[in-house]
Amino acid sequence: EAAVTQSPRSKVAVTGGKVTLSCHQTNNHDYMYWYRQDTGHGLRLIHYSYVADSTEKGDIPDGYKASRPSQENFSLILELASLSQTAVYFCASSPGQGGSGNTLYFGEGSRLIVV
Amino acid sequence: QQKVQQSPESLTVSEGAMASLNCTFSDGTSNNFRWYRQHSAKGLEVLVSIFSDGEKEEGRFTAHLNRANLHVSLHIREPQPSDSAVYLCAVENYNQGKLIFGQGTKLSIKP
């Protein structure tokens, strides 16, 4: 059974609208991440969190907010969706900090199209 | 800023032939290297992690690391059509707490 689940798996949003992508993990991991993937680019880190009720900026946080209400749940929020935010978004979890020897476990991705 | 480049962008290999994917990185102090596989409309699964120069085998997947040449490769033995996917290289730097992904190689295995 999938340990990191994302919803929705696919969404079409209108420019200027609000979009919320949700992520739930059953790994009991402290760290959770949101990445975006664009054609021709690797995954780029948007926001991450290592404890409930706290979030940290990643490499490309502009235009995105994040929320970690519990250890299991991590949301990505686009308050005013723009065309440039069309991408596939991946959530991941890890027992310790990514980049420090800890394996990330990914969800199946959420495809967002902004029109 | 660490740069991670993968080559080729796409690769087609016949079933049963060896598939070889390449990844170069710019920061020689990088500590750990992982190869992920991404099937269409699926999440990423880690295939092999390598920390030291040399090779690391996980089933049909073998990673080769050469830090001096800033190069890590993935070799897939006896690839099958089900191995058709995008393969991503990920490079970690413990001091910076950074994990940087390459842009991916799209591998197609033809029967």
Side-chain angles (χ1 to χ4, degrees):
Chain A
E1 186 174 336
V4 179
T5 54
Q6 297 180 223
S7 64
R9 293 291 313 281
S10 179
K11 183 175 180 64
V12 178
V14 176
T15 301
K18 182 177 181 179
V19 176
T20 300
L21 303 179
S22 300
C23 179
H24 178 80
Q25 58 112 348
T26 58
N27 293 324
N28 199 33
H29 288 166
D30 288 331
Y31 281 77
M32 295 187 74
Y33 313 82
W34 276 106
Y35 284 89
R36 69 175 278 173
Q37 183 180 42
D38 301 277
T39 303
H41 292 273
L43 275 69
R44 292 180 289 173
L45 181 63
I46 306 170
H47 285 288
Y48 69 99
S49 168
Y50 56 85
V51 68
D53 295 323
S54 177
T55 63
E56 305 292 333
K57 294 180 179 179
D59 298 322
I60 54 165
D62 292 346
Y64 302 94
K65 291 183 180 179
S67 174
R68 183 91 180 270
S70 63
Q71 188 194 35
E72 298 81 16
N73 296 294
F74 191 37
S75 297
L76 185 68
I77 304 154
L78 290 66
E79 295 278 4
L80 295 169
S82 66
L83 295 175
S84 64
Q85 293 177 313
T86 293
V88 179
Y89 293 84
F90 285 95
C91 177
S93 73
S94 66
Q97 184 179 7
S100 298
N102 296 286
T103 300
L104 269 62
Y105 297 87
F106 285 85
E108 295 186 337
S110 296
R111 181 175 297 275
L112 175 65
I113 298 173
V114 182
V115 298
Chain B
Q1 174 84 7
Q2 169 88 269
K3 293 192 188 305
V4 179
Q5 285 290 125
Q6 291 186 238
S7 63
E9 285 188 16
S10 64
L11 177 66
T12 299
V13 173
S14 296
E15 185 176 2
M18 178 77 78
S20 296
L21 289 66
N22 299 295
C23 176
T24 59
F25 50 96
S26 60
D27 183 353
T29 66
S30 299
N31 303 95
N32 189 20
F33 307 83
R34 301 182 199 274
W35 284 96
Y36 284 86
R37 179 169 66 183
Q38 180 186 8
H39 281 116
S40 179
K42 295 285 188 182
L44 284 71
E45 59 173 329
V46 61
L47 298 173
V48 60
S49 300
I50 184 165
F51 302 84
S52 304
D53 277 357
E55 72 173 46
K56 175 84 175 293
E57 183 176 314
E58 296 284 356
R60 295 183 296 108
F61 302 94
T62 301
H64 289 263
L65 174 61
N66 185 325
R67 287 178 198 278
N69 289 342
L70 302 176
H71 182 260
V72 59
S73 59
L74 177 69
H75 305 274
I76 306 173
R77 179 168 41 88
E78 299 177 1
Q80 301 150 13
S82 58
D83 291 321
S84 297
V86 174
Y87 289 77
L88 293 161
C89 169
V91 179
E92 297 183 39
N93 185 303
Y94 294 172
N95 285 340
Q96 299 170 16
K98 282 284 193 181
L99 174 63
I100 305 296
F101 286 86
Q103 81 279 21
T105 292
K106 183 176 181 180
L107 177 65
S108 299
I109 307 299
K110 58 180 183 180

